[in-house]
Amino acid sequence: MSSNTPSFPEQIELTGEGLVLRDWAEADLAAMPELFDHPDIAYWTPIVSPFDEGAARARLDRDRQLRAEGTAILLAITVDGGAPLGEVMLRRAPEGTELGYAVGPAHRGKGLAARAVRLMAAYAFEQLGAEQVILELEAENAASVAVATKAGFSLLEVPLIEGQEKGRPYALETWGLDRP
């Protein structure tokens, strides 16, 4: 990001929606493979696969680098500040303030992703001054479309984002949520 991009705080903890979104910690490294080494996550996200201890270390290091650059923050989704159940991401991108998420397979079906996205969107609006936050997802990813809908996002009439990741083509729709 440019030198005029405000940096993110060194530590972030967001509470609301029955969740605590907190910084990833060294102690979380052992839990990360259980959350992210799953076929759904490998297929629908850019998270590396297989996701092992080395991938966890690389992700934590990259998280810290992106935050220091003012580019992105990745927070662990928890219910009480303890064990991570997934992750929510905020990224400053040319196309806007983008959010992303992944919830571990054992923790799905509890509304964690939609609640985490709403909480992170509130942070983007209130603390970063964002006018809109976006989600970029594949129409065929029914679970992510459900999250977008439950979190109050609407499908935007913008061109698809097409590309290739992990050897397969993708076409991402852009969903948006405007500042309240």
Side-chain angles (χ1 to χ4, degrees):
M1 300 264 54
S2 66
S3 60
N4 61 1
T5 300
S7 61
F8 293 116
E10 281 188 38
Q11 294 187 326
I12 299 176
E13 183 174 285
L14 307 177
T15 58
E17 299 268 348
L19 299 176
V20 177
L21 305 181
R22 63 161 176 81
D23 293 316
W24 286 103
E26 297 288 326
D28 297 322
L29 289 171
M32 291 172 84
E34 182 180 326
L35 298 174
F36 301 133
D37 191 37
H38 188 269
D40 286 347
I41 291 175
Y43 188 81
W44 296 114
T45 76
I47 294 175
V48 301
S49 178
F51 195 96
D52 56 15
E53 290 177 31
R57 165 52 61 200
R59 189 157 183 86
L60 183 60
D61 292 346
R62 182 78 172 134
D63 166 33
R64 291 173 177 166
Q65 177 187 353
L66 292 172
R67 182 177 301 194
E69 293 171 356
T71 305
I73 50 175
L74 291 86
L75 300 177
I77 300 171
T78 77
V79 292
D80 58 5
L85 310 174
E87 175 177 87
V88 63
M89 177 268 312
L90 179 147
R91 181 174 72 98
R92 291 175 171 144
E95 48 286 347
T97 303
E98 179 188 357
L99 305 183
Y101 48 86
V103 173
H107 311 292
R108 294 180 184 161
K110 301 172 187 173
L112 295 171
R115 291 186 285 152
V117 164
R118 284 192 300 262
L119 189 53
M120 189 67 99
Y123 173 79
F125 295 136
E126 296 164 14
Q127 300 301 315
L128 304 179
E131 292 298 320
Q132 181 183 63
V133 293
I134 60 171
L135 299 170
E136 296 174 344
L137 42 102
E138 294 181 68
E140 297 81 17
N141 187 343
S144 279
V145 170
V147 167
T149 303
K150 288 177 189 171
F153 285 67
S154 300
L155 183 60
L156 302 179
E157 293 185 24
V158 298
L160 292 173
I161 300 164
E162 297 181 294
Q164 189 163 332
E165 179 99 27
K166 298 180 186 172
R168 77 171 187 89
Y170 64 80
L172 302 175
E173 296 178 331
T174 303
W175 291 69
L177 179 67
D178 292 330
R179 175 191 283 273

